[in-house]
């Protein structure tokens, strides 16, 4: 174990300063130190995506990012995506289209989908399937997840058009 | 009451009861990251446990030195078998009547076996300490092949059983033999086979795999030494059974143990058993007086907890020249790994494998299953199926295809002429089951029509011709599967887990202002019980599902139940829920009659109220009745409106389905593309069509994974080659097929609402469907049997073996 490092993160809009060992993973800093338990640990090898967060505008698997690498970064987790009074379109869409069952993959799925739709507001089904391929689900068979993301895309685009 | 006014329709709609696609109440917390899974639980002073595991599949443990680990700052304890022995906890009983080492007692029997348990301040320190524990091993010969394990003179794996010629399930004929379990008439079956016009013989292997829920197994044990109470949070599919086992093992009285299953991130059978991690965490909490958390990582999950399948099934099926099946003989060599820890009802060491006559009227049959020890992980859980039913369905659905080939017949037609007919239900199978209800011909015809089966066969024949002419390198397979499941264990007279009868329960409290709380002995792991059980109840008691809270998983509050696995929640706890609801309704009827000043028999239930017969304008709503139950002294009635029901099902339920897929397959690369999947399920009365469809999608995807690539594989040294998600196939959204679902509805005659259960059907029917498609693609070239998983390499190898690479 080596000396702890001073790390500053902006998580869901709040600045957090903490001391972490260089080997500490971002997912554990979020979950154990900051009590942000929306992102989950499913594999610790970057395969399942349950730990997905947005870091400086990119989707990352926080189980294979050191907290030290995230120093100075802006991080958004599922907790920063909507609030009980004002859910994100994707959060509603997942419920409406039955895009979840046990819920364990859902925070990572929705977090990833926010970024996917930011990068590609009008995706095809193939785009969604490819763009979500880093997030595994064992319950739904993806069909309703894809449906949820496509429905959210349509709704977000319509809202954007109406605003313009 | 035949009031069909719009008002009545509205009242029915407001209930959100049976048959409506009610949106799930669970989703609000899951979509906002507010689920509460076991690893989210934090308690003051909580310590973390981690295991030292064996790198060898078979070795003697010469010595364990914990000094360096104990010297590390932050390490609180290191437990070995020596520490557990005085408590009698170095071994524990398994669900299958065997025993299993909690921590290595003198030797290890599989790679990844638990050797020592480190308790430390945080999980990083615990992991560091694991590295510092020095274990000296002396390697022993390894057996990974169950047939070699039974050879004369084979290395004895379980020395602790040496000299024991019988076990929990009868005679052991070899030191590595666990049991021979038989059902049916062997002599009569062999006589029929000997005389038969046509006999097809094949060995079908259903490979070892793993349920691999996205959340691994874990627990937090917290011993409160002041009050003498143990609280155990964990990923338990059967929390009450865990409480009973914890009490029996620890000696703590059951009322002083509280077991809580919080949100569970998928189970699929992985979370039924009791694992060494739970035992060690409880001991560590008792020893340290602090809460102790243990959560396994993915590699530990795949290597050590709960494999599934691993059945070598040797079958013989006989028929007349016209294709009428006359007999079925099956012998299974079942690889149980190092300890027999299969999760089956006590009397069924091979689960319900003897449902293997499937959906067919087979007059005589015999099954024999030999359980065998090898140097592999223990488990043998029902991975999204009811106790070995998926093995049985795969076996019979492959044998049907092999027989069709032998007869040179169409496999769809062969199924049709052998289905149990609608008028034969309740049907008594040759292997002892009573099928409750079914209409197989209707379902099959609907499925064949939906996919344009004849058109597909014509297209396939053209493709074969084009292939032979060298115009394409792709073949086309049509995967057929017609399955019958057996779920809802079970009648208490036959089925128990560690002596606990497999009933289930529901307790309902109607609150004064007309809402309700119901608690069940089951526990959802994604099935959506909080949504669907409220729907059952809404239709029974006339209170909107939105005003009913369903609670499960806390043994301090929920009535005793046997938990959720084997698709038993709806057949058993769902029935308990309906019957508890009917008790509420019976009392409500008396209250209504009193309030309306008529005789009990002069009122009748109508949607959400009791009305006076013949005078629908005179009524009392359930809300009014609930209030009256608490604020009026009603002669002859106790105050309050509560009920509890413990339901012992008279029989299992038998869901069935017809699945068909179309696959294109490249003979040069072995790559496959699933063009179409059609899945028709008949699960009896449908509670929530949206939830059913979701479960079918999920089960089909797990079936696709198992059939097409997922396996737990070992090398000759007993090294597990598939310990991460890099090697263990979980399909992504890209390769997962698109599904079309359909249904017929044949209610169960013995279930209070006619429901049968559905969550596991798509896995049971899906695996043979995908596997049969691969075989069907090569049928024209003479392929009889090729074992799963059908990954690209194995498919390429089939083509190579058939000389299709030129």
């Amino acid at each position: 174990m080596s000396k702890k490092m001073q790390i500053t993160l902006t998580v869901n809009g709040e600045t957090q300063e903490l001391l972490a060992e260089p080997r500490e993973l971002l997912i554990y800093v979020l979950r154990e130190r900051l009590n942000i338990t929306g992102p989950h640990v499913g594999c610790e090898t970057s395969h399942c995506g349950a730990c997905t967060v947005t870091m400086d505008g990119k989707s990352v698997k926080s189980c294979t990012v050191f907290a030290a690498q995230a120093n100075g970064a802006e991080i958004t987790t599922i907790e920063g995506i909507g609030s009980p009074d004002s859910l994100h379109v994707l959060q509603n869409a997942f419920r409406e289209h039955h895009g979840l069952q046990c819920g364990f993959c859902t925070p990572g799925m929705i977090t990833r989908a926010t970024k996917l739709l930011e990068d590609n507001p009008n995706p095809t089904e193939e785009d969604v399937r490819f763009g979500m391929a880093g997030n595994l689900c064992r319950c739904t068979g993806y069909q309703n997840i894809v449906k949820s993301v496509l429905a959210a895309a349509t709704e977000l685009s319509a809202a954007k058009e109406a605003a313009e | 009451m035949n009031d069909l006014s719009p008002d009545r329709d509205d009242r029915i709609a407001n209930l959100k009861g049976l048959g409506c696609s009610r949106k799930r109440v669970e989703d609000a917390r899951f979509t906002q990251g507010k689920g509460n899974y076991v690893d989210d639980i934090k308690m003051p002073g909580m310590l973390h446990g981690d295991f030292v595991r064996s790198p060898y599949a078979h070795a003697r443990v010469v010595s364990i030195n914990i000094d360096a680990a104990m010297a590390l700052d932050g390490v609180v304890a290191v437990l070995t078998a020596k520490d557990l022995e005085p408590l009698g906890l170095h071994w524990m009983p398994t669900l299958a009547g065997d025993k299993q080492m909690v921590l290595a007692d003198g030797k290890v029997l599989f790679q990844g076996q638990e050797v020592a348990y480190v308790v430390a301040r945080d999980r990083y320190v615990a992991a560091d300490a694991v590295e510092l524990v020095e274990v000296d091993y002396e390697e022993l010969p390894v057996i990974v092949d169950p047939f070699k394990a039974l050879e004369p003179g084979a290395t004895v794996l379980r020395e602790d059983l040496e000299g024991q010629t019988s076990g929990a399930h009868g005679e052991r004929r070899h030191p590595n033999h666990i049991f021979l379990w038989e059902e049916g008439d062997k002599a009569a079956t062999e006589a029929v086979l000997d005389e038969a016009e046509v006999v097809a013989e094949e060995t079908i292997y259903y490979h070892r795999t793993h349920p691999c829920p996205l959340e691994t197994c874990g627990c937090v044990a917290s011993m409160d030494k002041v009050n003498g109470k143990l609280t155990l949070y964990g990923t338990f599919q059967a929390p009450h059974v865990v409480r009973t086992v914890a009490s029996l093992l620890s000696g703590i009285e059951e009322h002083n143990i509280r077991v809580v299953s919080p949100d569970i991130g998928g189970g699929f059978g992985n979370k039924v058993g009791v694992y060494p991690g739970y035992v060690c965490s409880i001991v560590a909490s008792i020893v340290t007086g602090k809460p102790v958390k243990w959560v396994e990582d993915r590699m530990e999950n795949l290597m050590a907890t709960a494999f599934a399948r691993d059945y070598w099934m040797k079958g013989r099926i006989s028929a007349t020249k016209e294709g009428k099946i006359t007999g079925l003989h099956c012998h299974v060599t079942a690889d149980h790994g190092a300890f027999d820890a299969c999760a089956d009802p006590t009397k069924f060491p091979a689960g319900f494998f003897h449902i293997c006559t499937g959906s067919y009227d087979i007059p005589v049959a015999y099954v024999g299953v030999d359980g065998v020890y090898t140097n592999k992980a223990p488990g043998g859980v029902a991975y999204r199926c009811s106790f070995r039913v998926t093995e049985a369905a795969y076996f019979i659905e492959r044998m049907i295809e092999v027989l069709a080939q032998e007869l040179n017949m169409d496999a769809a037609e062969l199924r049709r002429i052998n289905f149990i007919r609608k008028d034969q239900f309740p049907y008594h199978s040759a292997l002892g089951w009573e099928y409750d209800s079914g209409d197989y011909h209707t379902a099959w015809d609907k499925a064949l029509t939906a996919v344009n089966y004849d058109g597909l066969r014509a297209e396939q024949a053209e493709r074969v011709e084009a292939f032979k002419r060298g115009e394409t390198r792709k073949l086309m397979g049509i995967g057929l599967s017609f399955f019958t499941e057996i779920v809802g264990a079970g009648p208490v007279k036959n089925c128990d887990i560690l002596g606990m009868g497999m009933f289930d329960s529901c307790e309902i409290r109607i609150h004064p202002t007309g809402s309700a709380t119901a608690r069940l002995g089951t526990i959802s792991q994604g099935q959506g019980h909080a949504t669907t059980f409220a729907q059952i109840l809404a239709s029974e008691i006339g209170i909107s599902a939105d005003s009913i809270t369903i609670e499960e998983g806390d043994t301090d509050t929920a009535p005793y139940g046997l938990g959720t696995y084997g698709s038993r929640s709806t057949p058993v706890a769902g029935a308990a829920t309906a019957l508890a609801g009917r008790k509420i309704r019976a009392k409500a009827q008396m209250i209504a009659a009193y309030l309306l000043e008529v005789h009990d028999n002069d009122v009748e239930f109508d949607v959400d109220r009791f009305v006076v017969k013949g005078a629908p304008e005179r009524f009392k709503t359930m809300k009014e009745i609930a209030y009256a139950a608490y604020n009026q002294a009603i002669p002859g009635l106790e105050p309050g409106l509560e009920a509890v029901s413990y339901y012992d099902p008279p029989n299992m339920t038998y869901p069935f389905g017809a699945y068909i897929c179309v696959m294109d397959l490249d003979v040069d690369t072995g790559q496959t593309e699933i063009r179409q999947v059609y899945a028709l399920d008949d699960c009896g009365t449908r509670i929530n069509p949206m939830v059913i469809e979701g479960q079918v999608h999920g089960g089909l995807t797990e079936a696709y994974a198992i059939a097409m690539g997922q396996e737990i594989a070992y090398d000759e040294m007993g090294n597990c080659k598939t310990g991460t998600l890099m090697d263990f196939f979980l399909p992504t959204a890209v390769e997962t097929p698109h599904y079309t679902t359909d249904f017929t509805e044949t209610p169960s005659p013995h279930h209070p609402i006619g429901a049968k259960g559905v969550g596991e059907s798509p896995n049971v029917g899906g695996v043979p469907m995908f596997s049969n498609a691969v075989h069907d693609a090569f049928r024209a070239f003479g392929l009889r049997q090729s074992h799963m998983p059908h990954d690209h390499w194995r498919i390429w190898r089939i083509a190579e073996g058939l000389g299709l690479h030129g």
Side-chain angles (χ1 to χ4, degrees):
Chain A
M1 278 170 296
S2 45
K3 218 175 132 195
K4 290 194 174 179
M5 300 172 65
Q6 169 91 26
I7 290 167
T8 306
L9 305 170
T10 307
V11 184
N12 300 327
E14 275 184 46
T15 305
Q16 306 279 358
E17 290 190 12
L18 51 101
L19 285 172
E21 287 180 45
R23 64 175 179 171
E24 263 186 79
L25 295 167
L26 178 58
I27 185 69
Y28 290 112
V29 166
L30 292 172
R31 290 179 51 84
E32 310 277 322
R33 293 176 181 270
L34 304 178
N35 292 317
I36 292 172
T37 55
H40 298 134
V41 181
C43 68
E44 292 176 302
T45 50
S46 281
H47 289 91
C48 82
C51 63
T52 303
V53 302
T54 308
M55 184 168 119
D56 287 338
K58 286 190 181 124
S59 293
V60 301
K61 311 271 176 81
S62 63
C63 76
T64 38
V65 173
F66 290 115
Q69 289 173 282
N71 192 16
E74 288 222 15
I75 289 162
T76 307
T77 70
I78 187 69
E79 287 89 345
I81 282 171
S83 66
D85 300 327
S86 167
L87 289 179
H88 190 279
V89 169
L90 274 159
Q91 290 170 315
N92 276 324
F94 268 67
R95 176 165 194 261
E96 196 61 30
H97 299 283
H98 193 30
L100 66 149
Q101 290 179 34
C102 83
F104 198 76
C105 75
T106 310
M109 282 284 174
I110 291 179
T111 305
R112 169 60 198 146
T114 58
K115 188 68 199 122
L116 174 75
L117 294 186
E118 226 174 272
D119 295 345
N120 180 1
N122 297 299
T124 62
E125 173 168 347
E126 208 184 341
D127 292 338
V128 173
R129 283 185 179 266
F130 185 77
M132 301 293 291
N135 292 69
L136 299 177
C137 171
R138 296 287 289 137
C139 301
T140 66
Y142 305 104
Q143 195 156 317
N144 288 341
I145 290 177
V146 174
K147 206 166 150 188
S148 306
V149 176
L150 287 171
T154 307
E155 195 178 327
L156 284 167
S157 295
K160 201 176 159 199
E161 254 177 53
E164 276 165 5
Chain B
M1 273 307 299
N2 289 308
D3 180 4
L4 295 174
S5 63
D7 167 60
R8 188 170 187 274
D9 289 344
D10 287 347
R11 289 194 280 124
I12 292 172
N14 286 340
L15 280 186
K16 300 191 182 172
L18 279 187
C20 90
S21 285
R22 182 182 183 222
K23 304 299 177 202
R24 298 199 332 162
V25 297
E26 294 89 343
D27 294 357
R29 67 177 186 278
F30 294 147
T31 54
Q32 295 177 72
K34 298 297 180 198
N36 184 36
Y37 302 90
V38 69
D39 202 14
D40 299 339
I41 294 168
K42 262 193 179 179
M43 299 178 81
M46 189 171 77
L47 302 171
H48 292 260
D50 201 351
F51 278 110
V52 176
R53 292 178 182 275
S54 169
Y56 298 109
H58 196 197
R60 241 171 256 299
V61 177
V62 179
S63 64
I64 303 175
N65 185 340
I66 64 168
D67 295 347
M70 284 301 291
L72 184 68
D73 181 40
V75 173
V76 178
V78 180
L79 302 177
T80 65
K82 273 191 189 149
D83 302 303
L84 299 182
E85 193 171 358
L87 309 168
L89 291 176
H90 55 319
W91 288 72
M92 64 179 185
T94 70
L95 297 180
D98 193 2
K99 56 181 181 164
Q100 174 179 354
M101 290 181 210
V102 174
L103 291 172
D105 182 22
K107 71 186 280 191
V108 288
L109 285 153
F110 67 95
Q111 190 188 45
Q113 186 178 332
E114 299 81 358
V115 174
Y117 184 75
V118 171
V119 186
R121 186 180 58 214
D122 68 34
R123 60 182 90 206
Y124 280 80
V125 175
D128 288 339
V130 164
E131 296 298 314
L132 293 174
V133 174
E134 293 166 19
V135 186
D136 192 7
Y137 297 97
E138 182 186 300
E139 285 182 74
L140 295 168
V142 172
I143 304 179
V144 290
D145 177 339
F147 298 99
K148 287 186 181 159
L150 290 183
E151 284 173 1
T155 302
V156 177
L157 305 184
R158 290 287 299 277
E159 290 156 308
D160 60 293
L161 301 177
E162 204 141 29
Q164 291 186 24
T165 52
S166 71
H169 305 288
E171 195 196 343
R172 298 172 65 228
R173 62 172 189 269
H174 183 286
N176 297 329
H177 184 242
I178 310 172
F179 60 81
L180 168 63
W181 185 83
E182 294 177 288
E183 189 62 74
D185 190 333
K186 189 177 185 184
T189 304
E190 284 173 353
V192 166
L193 284 160
D194 287 345
E195 306 275 301
E197 292 176 3
V198 180
V199 177
E201 192 169 335
E202 197 52 76
T203 296
I204 317 277
Y205 179 48
Y206 197 142
H207 60 292
R208 182 174 275 237
T209 181
H210 194 283
C212 193
L214 205 54
E215 176 202 37
T216 59
C217 299
C219 71
V220 179
S222 177
M223 184 70 207
D224 173 349
K225 288 193 171 175
V226 175
N227 295 305
K229 301 246 179 204
L230 170 70
T231 305
L232 184 64
Y233 299 90
T235 49
F236 309 129
Q237 288 182 234
H240 284 95
V241 179
V242 169
R243 185 184 72 186
T244 301
V245 173
S247 175
L248 292 172
L249 289 179
S250 68
I252 301 169
E253 281 197 88
E254 212 164 343
H255 71 106
N256 279 329
I257 302 178
R258 177 183 174 212
V259 175
V260 181
S261 295
D263 287 324
I264 296 182
F268 316 122
N270 195 174
K271 294 165 181 172
V272 172
V274 173
Y275 299 122
Y278 306 154
V279 177
C280 289
S281 302
I282 293 170
V283 172
S285 182
I286 292 171
V287 170
T288 62
K290 293 192 170 165
V292 177
K293 179 189 276 187
W294 167 74
V295 178
E296 61 181 1
D297 66 25
R298 178 58 59 194
M299 190 176 269
E300 295 177 294
N301 175 251
L302 289 171
M303 286 174 66
T305 48
F307 81 90
R309 326 298 194 228
D310 217 346
Y311 259 34
W312 289 91
M313 305 174 286
K314 189 164 187 249
R316 280 187 291 155
I317 189 165
S318 62
T320 63
K321 278 182 284 192
E322 292 74 34
K324 188 79 188 105
I325 300 171
T326 54
L328 178 71
H329 188 286
C330 180
H331 178 266
V332 180
T333 301
D335 186 339
H336 284 223
F339 307 100
D340 186 11
C342 291
D344 293 314
T346 305
K347 290 176 194 148
F348 298 94
F352 303 156
F353 182 77
H354 49 311
I355 191 74
C356 68
T357 53
S359 314
Y360 311 105
D361 183 16
I362 302 180
V364 63
Y366 163 79
V367 167
V369 180
D370 275 309
V372 184
Y373 290 123
T374 61
N375 289 121
K376 298 183 191 169
V381 301
Y383 170 7
R384 203 165 184 149
C385 76
S386 183
F387 316 116
R388 305 287 188 185
V389 174
T390 184
E391 288 92 329
Y394 184 62
F395 169 73
I396 186 65
E397 288 303 288
R398 281 297 310 133
M399 288 307 292
I400 287 284
E401 296 273 323
V402 169
L403 179 63
Q405 218 166 337
E406 189 78 35
L407 290 161
N408 200 21
M409 247 182 104
D410 178 79
E413 182 58 19
L414 180 61
R415 285 180 172 83
R416 189 203 311 274
I417 63 177
N418 285 292
F419 280 145
I420 299 162
R421 295 188 316 275
K422 191 179 173 183
D423 59 79
Q424 288 177 286
F425 290 95
Y427 173 81
H428 292 266
S429 82
L431 294 174
W433 299 113
E434 183 188 313
Y435 292 35
D436 59 350
S437 65
D439 183 357
Y440 298 165
H441 288 93
T442 299
W444 196 227
D445 288 342
K446 190 175 182 183
L448 294 174
T449 305
V451 299
N452 181 19
Y453 181 69
D454 293 339
L456 288 173
R457 282 291 176 208
E459 185 190 343
Q460 184 187 40
E462 281 169 30
R463 181 78 69 87
V464 169
E465 291 311 310
F467 181 87
K468 285 177 177 168
R469 291 194 300 269
E471 292 163 18
T472 178
R473 296 298 289 162
K474 283 188 180 174
L475 295 173
M476 172 181 162
I478 302 167
L480 304 178
S481 167
F482 196 101
F483 65 92
T484 296
E485 258 219 285
I486 170 170
V487 304
V492 168
K493 64 179 191 288
N494 299 331
C495 292
D496 69 271
I497 298 278
L498 291 176
M500 298 295 112
M502 293 179 74
F503 58 84
D504 229 292
S505 58
C506 176
E507 177 203 282
I508 305 170
R509 297 180 184 184
I510 310 294
H511 308 307
T513 49
S515 64
T517 301
R519 298 185 170 119
L520 291 87
T522 45
I523 175 70
S524 182
Q525 308 124 39
Q527 291 89 340
H529 291 172
T531 304
T532 52
F533 283 123
Q535 290 180 252
I536 295 175
L537 210 45
S539 290
E540 292 291 342
I541 64 174
I543 290 174
S544 170
D546 289 344
S547 297
I548 301 171
T549 294
I550 300 290
E551 291 182 0
E552 301 177 298
D554 183 339
T555 59
D556 265 10
T557 56
Y560 203 102
L562 270 282
T564 295
Y565 44 87
S567 284
R568 65 186 300 281
S569 296
T570 294
V572 191
T577 303
L579 294 181
R582 286 172 198 178
K583 289 183 186 175
I584 295 280
R585 210 163 77 187
K587 185 169 179 184
Q589 180 166 0
M590 292 189 265
I591 297 170
Y594 169 81
L595 296 173
L596 292 161
E597 298 179 349
V598 295
H599 190 274
D600 291 352
N601 293 332
D602 292 333
V603 293
E604 62 185 352
F605 185 68
D606 179 50
V607 185
D608 57 355
R609 63 192 58 185
F610 277 93
V611 301
V612 176
K613 287 178 185 170
E617 72 286 354
R618 293 183 61 202
F619 63 83
K620 287 290 170 188
T621 65
M622 284 301 293
K623 202 171 166 134
E624 293 170 305
I625 293 166
Y627 197 63
Y630 291 90
N631 88 331
Q632 297 214 18
I634 301 172
L637 282 184
E638 289 178 6
L641 193 51
E642 301 189 356
V644 59
S645 174
Y646 281 76
Y647 184 75
D648 176 10
N651 188 7
M652 319 241 187
T653 61
Y654 296 74
F656 59 93
Y659 290 179
I660 302 174
C661 76
V662 184
M663 179 186 290
D664 290 313
L665 176 160
D666 187 316
V667 297
D668 295 323
T669 63
Q671 282 181 307
T672 52
E673 195 178 325
I674 313 287
R675 201 199 301 175
Q676 181 185 1
V677 179
Y678 170 89
L680 179 151
D681 275 281
D682 192 319
C683 57
T685 303
R686 289 155 54 85
I687 298 164
N688 182 322
M690 176 191 82
V691 167
I692 291 171
E693 188 188 49
Q695 294 200 1
V696 172
H697 289 173
L700 285 169
T701 305
E702 290 188 350
Y704 171 75
I706 293 166
M708 304 309 287
Q710 184 179 90
E711 68 177 320
I712 294 289
Y714 290 87
D715 68 13
E716 287 297 306
M717 302 288 289
N719 295 306
C720 179
K721 300 193 289 182
T722 50
T724 73
L725 298 189
M726 179 84 84
D727 313 294
F728 185 81
F729 175 52
L730 297 184
T732 74
V734 171
E735 56 272 7
T736 298
H738 191 277
Y739 308 114
T740 303
T741 58
D742 203 348
F743 68 98
T744 55
E745 195 162 348
T746 312
S748 169
H750 63 76
H751 187 279
I753 63 166
K756 289 188 171 187
V758 74
E760 302 172 329
S761 293
N763 197 335
V764 171
V767 172
M769 168 181 70
F770 290 116
S771 179
N772 281 344
V774 172
H775 287 90
D776 185 68
F778 290 109
R779 179 174 162 171
F781 303 93
L783 177 68
R784 270 277 282 244
Q785 173 63 22
S786 182
H787 300 315
M788 295 189 291
H790 306 298
D791 54 24
H792 301 166
W793 176 67
R794 286 180 172 98
I795 287 176
W796 180 89
R797 215 171 48 167
I798 295 171
E800 178 73 9
L802 295 172
L804 301 182
H805 292 147

